[in-house]
Amino acid sequence: VCVCVSDLLSSLGQNPIHDEGAVLFADILKVNKSITWLSLSDSDIGAVGARALAEALRVNTTLRELHLTFRNIGGDEGAVALAETLKVNTTLTLLK
């Protein structure tokens, strides 16, 4: 199943969801059983949103691809949180 913003809020690319939107998506990813691809590229996510997504990815076993390109993900703090998650998440095959 591919979910992108036009198709059910999945590819929120180029839609500034900010930290608040990223936190909501993180809550969805914690219980997700069907979304395998999500694009939040160019969504202006900061450190709070990146940390929330990282926390969700620690328990998510369905998402295979997460696109966060073209925008700040909270600088080093967000990047480190996401990188640390990759140590425990074995299902995510693409994070860009």
Side-chain angles (χ1 to χ4, degrees):
V1 173
C2 171
V3 178
C4 310
V5 169
S6 320
D7 297 317
L8 196 126
L9 299 178
S10 52
S11 178
L12 289 175
Q14 298 182 340
N15 289 290
I17 63 168
H18 308 291
D19 284 333
E20 297 83 5
V23 169
L24 291 174
F25 266 95
D27 289 343
I28 290 168
L29 290 175
K30 287 178 184 175
V31 297
N32 169 54
K33 299 291 184 226
S34 60
I35 300 170
T36 60
W37 184 93
L38 180 63
S39 176
L40 299 175
S41 297
D42 203 16
S43 296
D44 201 21
I45 297 169
V48 170
R51 281 194 314 269
L53 289 169
E55 182 181 317
L57 291 173
R58 289 182 173 273
V59 297
N60 179 284
T61 59
T62 309
L63 195 69
R64 302 284 184 259
E65 293 187 25
L66 177 59
H67 298 246
L68 297 170
T69 53
F70 304 120
R71 280 293 185 146
N72 184 2
I73 54 166
D76 290 344
E77 184 179 348
V80 168
L82 289 164
E84 289 295 318
T85 293
L86 296 178
K87 293 178 181 178
V88 296
N89 181 306
T90 59
T91 56
L92 194 66
T93 58
L94 179 66
L95 173 61
K96 73 175 195 173

